[in-house]
Amino acid sequence: MRIYLLIAALVFATVLSAQNKISKPAVDTSVLTKFPYMGKESISNDGAYISYVINGQPKGGSTVVIQSTESDWKKELIYNSVRGVDAPPGNFSEDSRVYLFKIKDTLFFVSLGGEGKTQYLTNIETYQQPIDGHDDWWAYKLKGKEKELVLQNRKTGQEQRFNGVEEYGFNDKGTRLVLKIQTAIETELTLLDLQNNEKRTIWSAKNAKIGGYSFDKDDKQLTFITEEKNEKQSAYSIWYYKEGADKAMKQADDKTAGINQNLFIANVAPSFNPSGQYIYFKLSHPADSRKPLTGSAKLSIWSYRDTVIQSLQEKSEKKYWASIAVNGTHVLHPEQEDEVASTIGVLDLAMIRNHASINEFWQPSYEEQKQWLVSLKNGMRQILPFSSRTILTVSPINRYIVYFSSEKLHYFSYDISGGRARDISGGIPFPLYDKALAAENARMSSNFAYGIAGWLDESGFLVYDEYDIWKLDPSAIKPPVNLTNGYGRLNHIRLRLLDKDGIGKTLNSNSIILTALDTKTQHTGYYRMVLGQYGNPKLLSIEACYWGNSLYGGTEPLKARDADKWIVSRQKADESPEYYFTNDFSHFKQLTHLQPQEQYNWMTSQLISWKRPDGLLNKGILYKPENFDPHKKYPLLFYYYEKMTQDLFHYIRPGYNEGDLDIPWFVSHGYLVCTPDIHYAVGKPGQSALQSVESAAIYLSRFSYVDANHMGIQGFSFGGYETNYIVSHSAMFAAACEGAGSANCISDYSAIRGGHGKENKINQVIEFENGQYKMGGSLWQTPKDYIESSPIFKANQVTTPLLMIHNKEDASVPWHLGIEWYAGLRRLQKQVWMLEYDGGGHGLGGVNGVDFIFRSQQFFDHYLKGAPAPIWMTRGIPAKVKGIEMRYELDSAGNCGASCKVCKKWNEIYHGSSVRTSGNKLSEKEAIQGRASVLENRPKPIN
């Protein structure tokens, strides 16, 4: 019997041989809990040191690393994780001489440089340092009933102690410390002036509590909220303190003039407007204390006249924005039920806009959603010439509002004092918005604009086109100037400010670093642009990698506060992100080396392009195993969503699967993976995906190393919908897997998000009419498109075996949509399996993610590599043994479906080896065969 089993195993090994004689092992499930990666990076104020955490190293723990950017000095501290929690990040001291971090109740102080001496304090509950302090003050609170707080200056050793401290906090500059102190008889708010060593109790009360507080930007004013409880409910008051005063004074309570009698101050921390002249806070309706009538019916009445649907009303409580002058006695709250207010800089103005989630886009008023400026002095409104959906920014001293018009497709400036709007980008000959993206959507949106870079000053404003940077004059007197001299467009390089958060900021440097993306090759790097010197930007560096920038899949560069020194990350598909030091973005010093993938058969990435049948040039990424052999044939998997070629150099770390395709896992196990970009036509989301994916399959099938008869597809969420559409319209693929995908655009159109029993989110119509599905109209305007785009109506044409994932707690794609698709395929006796994980939502993770990786590989191995089907496919798992029997074992005697040719071959092997000396066939146990690695690498319990 053993001889025949050996023969079967050898045949099995031959069928599965996709990576014969590899020198490195494939990624296995044990890696998922220990695959190390770096994060939580920081840099000292002088740029001489960096810190970061290596998560997952050692196994079951993490390592805090502090090292010099100028020498080989390094300090490593091991942190043993508790319940999977990685080491917390620490802080550098103000003088860049000490690194502080807390683990459990111990606070460590690592001296930087030299021997790296480490000191520590125990019994620590919390500690704080100022965000931007110039005196090295810090404070820590000890555990214990005394609630003792220690305030210390690490430069002078000066120390003060306070008992009964409930909460504490520095202002940003570290010149003041606020203490909330609970004594035996009352609650106090104490303010410490750390520059003048003065202590002052500015508020106290016996039967009240202190809530949130905030300083103004000059740290000379303080506002806070207090709570007093009465028989019915809590009453809140807003307080104000000014530097030099003896006590804080009550600024507003529920009886202050201007507050409507049906509104009360809400328990939200107050704040100052940027000028420090007004205090902002929130108002709300009181809770209804009435009890339901005895024997009354409790019901929700969904009315067409409701501006907010019932499920949202039950979960939301409107809070109204309000303000009061620091020397005033009258509250202003101009915000209405369907409006949202926000501040806009140092002027005594705020902005009021319609709430987009209330004024739904299909309502007649949506296209003309109003936006106003409102005076904080008297509440007078000034209508603005653009809708509340417009992207905008305000000039440094609030003279202009600049916005992109989705109707005119230009930038306009609005003179606040003059009340006039001017076109300031009409002289630019290139589009300032993504035309391709706009063409895929029926409704133009200001979100398609390439974006705002920031302000130089009141006379200069920067915007992007597809490649270059333009300076606009908000007064519309001077013509637009191309600051990058057209260099980006000429060389197909997308140039952007390194400070991508420049919206609303004033750029205060003449020499500006630019990030660069070569749109043809996806190479990234840096350029330098000097303001006032018009001409080509200077190339600093560009490489076949992703240099650190979240726009291109990396970590944002970190600059030292007091020096022109930077930490940037660099990565490739086959190189884990590493940290580099630079002070000129031309020369980089590598600081780290963490390449865990080097131990495994990893992958390479390659940019590919082909033409679709409609003539459109399509791009994608092809991933190959590290030990790729062009003389072999490989099964090919396609994974897609929308556009993915921007991830060409993105390092994908294997981990607990969310439901998408784990690319490094499958490539490591001998698959090719292709991620094609999807180009959409309005009203045809499924058809668009089919065209892009099928054309990619036809193109790649021409290569000798692609096994054209064994190609599979997988998508998750919207990609799951695309998978469902493809299998209902194509027989090209041998197997398919989809997660959390819809199959019925009609029922999904009006579905309410929120999860099983938690339907509290708004319905999906916006996603279909002008969102991800890009239908371009309502169900009743284009019914044929909705029907044609719904896989459920073509379920009878499905011939591809399908593995599904859909969980009851899915808050993004309701569970019933998955059941519709599964039930239809089951009724038609199609080969379909649906995985439903207890407690799973829109995506997996943890032990569920490991289980899915393993089952999805078994599924694809069966149909694309010819492996026996596992028992969970041939016999299922009865509910009574759920969680007890995993049934990963491969079943060479079983059958996943009557028409399965793979199962038929294994059945022949099984029956052909059934002749024994005893004359008996193989027992059921003996028939369950498979590679040893199947059992060795199967998911294990996670501690």
Side-chain angles (χ1 to χ4, degrees):
M1 181 176 67
R2 290 182 179 178
I3 295 176
Y4 289 105
L5 284 174
L6 178 60
I7 294 173
L10 288 173
V11 174
F12 178 78
T14 301
V15 174
L16 294 177
S17 180
Q19 42 186 347
N20 193 26
K21 298 180 180 179
I22 62 173
S23 58
K24 297 180 181 179
V27 175
D28 59 57
T29 55
S30 65
V31 171
L32 304 182
T33 61
K34 68 179 183 182
F35 210 81
Y37 64 98
M38 296 184 296
K40 302 176 183 176
E41 63 280 351
S42 63
I43 186 170
S44 62
N45 289 336
D46 64 1
Y49 296 91
I50 68 166
S51 71
Y52 52 94
V53 176
I54 304 178
N55 301 293
Q57 183 176 294
K59 184 178 180 181
S62 52
T63 302
V64 178
V65 182
I66 312 106
Q67 72 180 79
S68 171
T69 60
E70 301 167 348
S71 68
D72 295 333
W73 186 91
K74 180 186 289 187
K75 184 79 172 181
E76 296 184 351
L77 302 139
I78 305 300
Y79 174 74
N80 293 319
S81 301
V82 179
R83 296 179 181 176
V85 177
D86 295 321
N91 308 95
F92 287 102
S93 63
E94 169 68 20
D95 59 7
S96 302
R97 296 174 62 185
V98 176
Y99 183 76
L100 299 80
F101 69 100
K102 179 177 175 289
I103 295 179
K104 297 182 181 178
D105 67 347
T106 302
L107 186 60
F108 295 87
F109 307 86
V110 180
S111 297
L112 302 177
E115 297 179 0
K117 185 178 180 181
T118 301
Q119 298 176 310
Y120 61 90
L121 292 173
T122 59
N123 198 39
I124 304 298
E125 183 176 294
T126 60
Y127 80 99
Q128 285 191 28
Q129 289 188 116
I131 295 175
D132 190 26
H134 292 285
D135 290 316
D136 206 7
W137 288 100
W138 71 292
Y140 59 91
K141 183 179 175 183
L142 299 170
K143 287 185 173 181
K145 296 180 180 179
E146 295 80 9
K147 299 180 180 179
E148 184 179 19
L149 180 88
V150 180
L151 172 66
Q152 186 181 80
N153 189 306
R154 290 192 58 82
K155 290 182 179 178
T156 65
Q158 179 184 350
E159 185 176 285
Q160 299 180 57
R161 292 175 179 261
F162 307 88
N163 287 330
V165 176
E166 298 285 347
E167 296 182 38
Y168 62 101
F170 289 96
N171 62 351
D172 288 351
K173 296 179 181 178
T175 57
R176 289 172 174 78
L177 178 68
V178 175
L179 303 178
K180 298 180 184 179
I181 298 176
Q182 183 67 54
T183 69
I185 58 174
E186 62 185 5
T187 303
E188 298 177 352
L189 187 65
T190 297
L191 184 64
L192 301 178
D193 185 330
L194 302 179
Q195 291 178 316
N196 301 315
N197 195 27
E198 294 180 357
K199 173 186 174 184
R200 183 169 293 168
T201 298
I202 63 174
W203 178 90
S204 63
K206 292 184 178 180
N207 299 308
K209 294 181 179 180
I210 308 168
Y213 66 89
S214 64
F215 288 93
D216 71 338
K217 67 182 179 69
D218 295 324
D219 295 319
K220 294 182 178 181
Q221 300 179 106
L222 178 72
T223 182
F224 56 95
I225 189 170
T226 63
E227 176 189 10
E228 294 181 76
K229 288 191 175 181
N230 53 37
E231 295 180 357
K232 294 183 179 180
Q233 62 182 24
S234 295
Y236 299 95
S237 301
I238 304 298
W239 292 73
Y240 168 70
Y241 175 80
K242 186 176 181 180
E243 184 180 51
D246 290 331
K247 297 286 184 180
M249 66 178 187
K250 184 185 289 187
Q251 192 71 13
D253 59 21
D254 294 334
K255 298 179 181 179
T256 300
I259 298 180
N260 291 346
Q261 61 180 1
N262 63 335
L263 291 176
F264 295 83
I265 294 176
N267 186 20
V268 177
S271 62
F272 290 96
N273 81 319
S275 71
Q277 298 177 2
Y278 294 88
I279 297 172
Y280 296 151
F281 56 100
K282 293 284 188 175
L283 303 174
S284 65
H285 293 288
D288 196 333
S289 60
R290 295 176 297 175
K291 296 182 179 180
L293 299 174
T294 303
S296 64
K298 292 187 68 177
L299 77 161
S300 299
I301 298 178
W302 296 58
S303 169
Y304 77 98
R305 306 192 69 174
D306 289 341
T307 55
V308 180
I309 62 175
Q310 286 286 311
S311 57
L312 282 179
Q313 291 181 36
E314 294 171 358
K315 299 294 180 180
S316 63
E317 178 187 353
K318 170 68 176 177
K319 289 183 171 61
Y320 298 84
W321 176 87
S323 71
I324 187 170
V326 296
N327 57 356
T329 58
H330 190 279
V331 171
L332 175 73
H333 59 92
E335 191 178 282
Q336 302 300 313
E337 182 71 26
D338 60 347
E339 295 175 346
V340 175
S342 59
T343 181
I344 62 161
V346 299
L347 294 182
D348 57 350
L349 296 170
M351 189 170 289
I352 300 287
R353 61 181 174 84
N354 290 126
H355 196 302
S357 67
I358 295 174
N359 291 314
E360 298 291 1
F361 75 96
W362 63 82
Q363 296 182 359
S365 61
Y366 180 81
E367 293 292 351
E368 300 176 356
Q369 283 187 34
K370 301 292 191 297
Q371 191 150 260
W372 304 266
L373 290 179
V374 59
S375 168
L376 301 183
K377 294 180 179 179
N378 54 31
M380 294 293 292
R381 292 192 177 199
Q382 175 183 344
I383 188 70
L384 293 171
F386 47 86
S387 78
S388 63
R389 298 176 293 111
T390 302
I391 296 175
L392 56 83
T393 181
V394 183
S395 64
I397 60 173
N398 308 118
R399 181 179 176 183
Y400 301 102
I401 299 174
V402 171
Y403 61 95
F404 181 80
S405 168
S406 57
E407 291 76 31
K408 303 291 186 180
L409 304 178
H410 290 168
Y411 282 96
F412 285 74
S413 69
Y414 177 76
D415 189 322
I416 294 175
S417 60
R420 180 182 177 185
R422 297 180 176 90
D423 185 339
I424 59 175
S425 67
I428 297 178
F430 308 110
L432 298 173
Y433 65 98
D434 190 328
K435 293 186 71 173
L437 187 61
E440 295 178 354
N441 292 267
R443 191 190 305 273
M444 183 62 190
S445 169
S446 59
N447 291 320
F448 299 156
Y450 285 115
I452 297 168
W455 290 86
L456 296 176
D457 50 38
E458 289 292 306
S459 64
F461 175 70
L462 306 187
V463 298
Y464 300 124
D465 70 12
E466 184 176 3
Y467 299 102
D468 290 296
I469 304 174
W470 294 80
K471 177 183 175 182
L472 306 180
D473 175 13
S475 69
I477 296 175
K478 298 178 180 178
V481 177
N482 191 322
L483 295 182
T484 47
N485 199 36
Y487 178 89
R489 181 170 297 276
L490 181 64
N491 295 281
H492 303 282
I493 293 176
R494 186 168 297 154
L495 299 169
R496 298 293 184 258
L497 298 187
L498 179 64
D499 177 14
K500 72 180 183 65
D501 297 319
I503 295 179
K505 293 183 179 180
T506 302
L507 305 175
N508 53 16
S509 174
N510 287 329
S511 180
I512 298 175
I513 301 298
L514 307 177
T515 63
L517 170 68
D518 187 317
T519 57
K520 286 189 172 182
T521 64
Q522 296 296 309
H523 294 185
T524 64
Y526 301 98
Y527 281 74
R528 185 184 299 276
M529 176 178 72
V530 179
L531 296 176
Q533 295 182 11
Y534 301 118
N536 294 341
K538 180 182 178 182
L539 173 64
L540 301 178
S541 60
I542 196 161
E543 297 182 50
C545 68
Y546 280 154
W547 275 113
N549 190 304
S550 62
L551 291 175
Y552 311 139
T555 302
E556 289 296 323
L558 281 177
K559 182 185 179 299
R561 192 192 69 185
D562 302 329
D564 194 16
K565 298 178 180 180
W566 296 77
I567 302 299
V568 296
S569 68
R570 180 185 187 276
Q571 65 178 295
K572 296 176 68 175
D574 55 353
E575 293 180 13
S576 180
E578 300 284 7
Y579 294 128
Y580 288 74
F581 170 80
T582 186
N583 56 15
D584 60 7
F585 289 91
S586 292
H587 304 89
F588 300 88
K589 176 184 177 181
Q590 185 171 345
L591 299 175
T592 62
H593 183 79
L594 182 69
Q595 299 295 323
Q597 80 287 342
E598 291 179 347
Q599 304 174 48
Y600 303 96
N601 181 39
W602 200 245
M603 64 184 185
T604 61
S605 63
Q606 172 188 344
L607 190 65
I608 60 173
S609 61
W610 65 95
K611 280 192 176 182
R612 301 196 325 182
D614 59 3
L616 180 69
L617 182 67
N618 220 117
K619 292 184 178 181
I621 303 172
L622 179 62
Y623 296 93
K624 299 176 181 178
E626 180 182 343
N627 65 340
F628 174 74
D629 184 346
H631 302 294
K632 294 183 179 180
K633 280 191 177 293
Y634 292 84
L636 173 61
L637 290 174
F638 291 90
Y639 179 70
Y640 35 80
Y641 192 76
E642 291 179 340
K643 303 290 190 300
M644 300 186 73
T645 49
Q646 70 275 8
D647 293 330
L648 176 64
F649 298 114
H650 182 209
Y651 179 83
I652 306 172
R653 178 168 55 90
Y656 297 135
N657 197 286
E658 291 294 312
D660 49 5
L661 184 75
D662 193 312
I663 295 174
W665 176 279
F666 277 93
V667 175
S668 183
H669 284 81
Y671 286 86
L672 302 179
V673 174
C674 176
T675 58
D677 285 346
I678 310 297
H679 297 276
Y680 296 94
V682 173
K684 301 184 183 300
Q687 298 94 315
S688 299
L690 177 65
Q691 268 200 313
S692 293
V693 176
E694 266 199 339
S695 62
I698 292 171
Y699 167 72
L700 288 172
S701 65
R702 298 169 184 165
F703 291 88
S704 60
Y705 52 79
V706 171
D707 187 346
N709 294 320
H710 294 95
M711 298 187 293
I713 56 175
Q714 182 169 332
F716 178 73
S717 193
F718 182 62
Y721 157 76
E722 293 174 317
T723 298
N724 293 334
Y725 187 91
I726 292 170
V727 297
S728 64
H729 290 76
S730 174
M732 182 177 290
F733 304 100
C737 178
E738 70 95 354
S742 171
N744 189 339
C745 294
I746 297 173
S747 58
D748 194 7
Y749 176 78
S750 298
I752 294 180
R753 281 14 190 182
H756 186 66
K758 300 178 182 178
E759 283 79 8
N760 60 1
K761 295 187 179 180
I762 201 158
N763 51 20
Q764 183 77 341
V765 289
I766 192 169
E767 282 300 317
F768 276 89
E769 294 187 23
N770 194 45
Q772 195 166 42
Y773 284 81
K774 304 174 179 65
M775 297 305 295
S778 73
L779 171 61
W780 300 275
Q781 290 172 313
T782 58
K784 289 184 179 179
D785 285 344
Y786 278 82
I787 293 172
E788 171 57 31
S789 298
S790 298
I792 195 76
F793 294 107
K794 300 288 186 180
N796 60 312
Q797 296 182 9
V798 173
T799 59
T800 307
L802 178 66
L803 177 64
M804 299 174 56
I805 321 167
H806 223 119
N807 302 316
K808 287 184 178 179
E809 301 302 321
D810 193 329
S812 298
V813 183
W815 181 67
H816 70 80
L817 294 172
I819 291 298
E820 279 187 27
W821 184 229
Y822 166 78
L825 294 173
R826 181 176 181 272
R827 167 64 182 84
L828 294 166
Q829 298 185 354
K830 304 296 183 179
Q831 289 179 273
V832 59
W833 294 262
M834 189 173 83
L835 308 179
E836 179 196 322
Y837 291 93
D838 289 359
H842 190 67
L844 303 173
V847 65
N848 292 344
V850 177
D851 179 88
F852 170 65
I853 288 178
F854 197 71
R855 294 191 195 278
S856 62
Q857 185 192 348
Q858 288 189 318
F859 175 79
F860 282 125
D861 278 356
H862 176 59
Y863 291 110
L864 305 187
K865 287 189 174 183
I871 298 178
W872 64 265
M873 286 178 63
T874 60
R875 309 184 192 185
I877 301 179
K880 63 183 179 181
V881 297
K882 182 170 66 172
I884 300 172
E885 296 183 14
M886 306 310 292
R887 301 199 173 184
Y888 297 128
E889 295 85 358
L890 303 184
D891 187 1
S892 58
N895 202 317
C896 73
S899 61
C900 181
K901 296 180 180 179
V902 179
C903 286
K904 182 179 179 181
K905 289 183 178 179
W906 280 101
N907 292 167
E908 291 173 353
I909 294 173
Y910 161 61
H911 289 292
S913 63
S914 61
V915 180
R916 299 290 184 271
T917 304
S918 62
N920 297 322
K921 292 184 178 180
L922 286 174
S923 66
E924 180 179 5
K925 182 177 181 180
E926 292 170 332
I928 299 171
Q929 304 173 37
R931 296 165 295 175
S933 61
V934 170
L935 299 182
E936 291 173 358
N937 296 327
R938 63 184 171 183
K940 301 173 179 64
I942 299 175
N943 297 322

